[in-house]
Amino acid sequence: MTSSLPAGLRERKKAKTRLAIREHAMRLFEEQGYAATTVDQIAEAAEVSPSTFFRYFPTRKTSS
């Protein structure tokens, strides 16, 4: 059985962090709207720092 996550520990952790940020961002956008959602709120919900957020997503644009 193959996993959708990368094989190495570091790569798996990065993939999980990216997914957590994305999921929390989408939830917050739905709850309070895109314009009302801040990077700080997303970072707090995903339990990462704002600087970590920007390492994964240099801008706050959602993917198409």
Side-chain angles (χ1 to χ4, degrees):
M1 176 178 271
T2 61
S3 171
S4 61
L5 293 176
L9 179 60
R10 178 177 283 180
E11 290 78 18
R12 287 194 313 267
K13 185 174 183 330
K14 286 181 181 181
K16 287 178 184 179
T17 299
R18 179 179 297 277
L19 181 61
I21 293 169
R22 183 175 293 148
E23 287 176 345
H24 286 289
M26 296 308 292
R27 178 183 56 79
L28 289 167
F29 294 159
E30 288 177 13
E31 289 175 2
Q32 57 194 36
Y34 178 83
T37 302
T38 67
V39 168
D40 288 338
Q41 291 171 324
I42 297 167
E44 183 177 335
E47 299 181 345
V48 299
S49 69
S51 61
T52 297
F53 172 95
F54 283 113
R55 268 188 236 119
Y56 287 87
F57 299 93
T59 65
R60 200 178 70 161
K61 291 184 178 182
T62 58
S63 59
S64 305

